[in-house]
Amino acid sequence: MFEKLRAGVRRARQRRGFERETAVIILKCTVAATLAWIVGTLLGASSQVGFAPFTALLVVRPSVYGSVLQSARYMAAVFAGALLAGLVGLTVGAQPWSFVLLLLVALVAGQAGFFGGQGVQLPVVAAFALAGGTAESASDLGYLLLMVCVGAASALVTNAVLAPAIRFRDAENAVLDLADGLRSLTGEMARGLGDGRAGTDTDHWARAADGLDGSVDNALEAVRRQDDRRRLNPRRLAPGARPDPGALDAYGEWIAALGRASRHVQSLVRTLRTTTRHGTRFPEPDDAFLREFAPLVERASEVFATVRDSEETGHTTASATLRAMVEDALRQVDEERGALRERWADRNWPVYSALITDVERIFEEIHQGQENTERRADG
């Protein structure tokens, strides 16, 4: 265990990543909770002071925006729970039937979407305040709410002082990794198809293709995380620290385009897997067709490689190189479709046509990604 801890500390010192972000969160929580406890103690709320560091720990987030959002939701839930508890405690007091009624109402109210993930705090505070006797004293309830405000304020101050750097590179790398995953899979498929049916490893291709969904989700999460870090970040006020938010929009457009392309790759793999499976009712692709089809898949791999190598996802204008490559690939698809249609019988053609169409749609999605990015930049 200690060896893993030392390794994590070493990675946190050497480079950005999960370990460093975890270390920063630990530091923020420690500072915010300690500050909240000190302020709460100075205010003299000895019986309710625990709510100050407790609140600070709950609302510290990696970004200032996230901390503000969670603070607002948490405070709303706590105030609602305290209000319900006060209505019961200051009127009928803590009775078994009143506790049950309060808990039912609080649990239902906590389901409101406004509270987000903090909705659970509403019944927790209501039950704690009534069962602990706090709800039977207006001054105790007031101190409880004051400590919640102190904790939230401490977390916000800590997050603002230790605000994360505004970097879009992490988001860009996630998008480029998605393009690289598509390049790797289509390149492997092209090499296998070049050997005919003997080179097809559809089970492996299917697993790799299914994994692309996770890459898409990771890229989307990376963009969302960077957008959160940009919002309300005081570092934006520093000279030269204002990265163009349009870059995140461009990444989003490319993720959408590459995500759609990945679904066509998945469809391509499913068709190959279905038609080469033993006992299938579809005609199995001929070795000669697969060898002729392989260059089209290889061209798709080259397009994905260009997206990655030229860092196309960071451009706000369409790349002439990639545009020319996609247009040439689409012409090649049309030529191959016409030539293959003449050589293969009607029985085989539905399967072959479906495979060619999937590749064609991959190129069209890349073209659409360029168009959408340029249109957003012009708009």
Side-chain angles (χ1 to χ4, degrees), residues 291-335:
R291 293 190 179 97
E292 290 184 72
F293 180 63
L296 291 180
V297 182
E298 178 62 28
R299 179 57 65 91
S301 180
E302 293 171 356
V303 167
F304 290 130
T306 301
V307 172
R308 179 205 61 187
D309 295 339
S310 63
E311 299 185 349
E312 195 71 26
T313 56
H315 298 167
T316 55
T317 57
S319 165
T321 300
L322 183 61
R323 184 183 294 276
M325 179 178 287
V326 171
E327 290 176 352
D328 182 65
L330 288 171
R331 284 195 298 271
Q332 183 179 350
V333 167
D334 291 337
E335 293 171 359

Side-chain angles (χ1 to χ4, degrees), residues 51-187:
F51 272 95
F54 178 71
T55 298
L57 290 172
L58 285 179
V59 300
V60 166
R61 289 295 185 274
S63 67
V64 178
Y65 170 75
S67 187
V68 170
L69 180 63
Q70 292 305 316
S71 293
R73 288 175 169 174
Y74 178 79
M75 290 177 64
V78 169
F79 271 68
L83 176 62
L84 289 175
L87 290 175
V88 174
L90 295 174
T91 54
V92 299
Q95 304 292 334
W97 65 268
S98 64
F99 184 84
V100 171
L101 180 61
L102 170 67
L103 203 54
L104 287 174
V105 173
L107 285 168
V108 172
Q111 302 303 311
F114 171 78
F115 299 115
Q118 299 291 355
V120 67
Q121 301 300 332
L122 199 158
V124 168
V125 170
F128 178 86
L130 185 61
T134 303
E136 298 179 1
S137 169
S139 61
D140 285 346
L141 275 178
Y143 273 120
L144 185 154
L145 297 177
L146 176 61
M147 290 302 99
V148 168
C149 292
V150 168
S154 299
L156 292 177
V157 169
T158 302
N159 260 65
V161 173
L162 301 177
I166 304 175
R167 298 189 186 93
F168 289 172
R169 188 63 184 179
D170 291 345
E172 183 179 11
N173 287 339
V175 184
L176 295 177
D177 286 345
L178 173 58
D180 188 57
L182 287 162
R183 175 208 59 80
S184 177
L185 176 56
T186 50

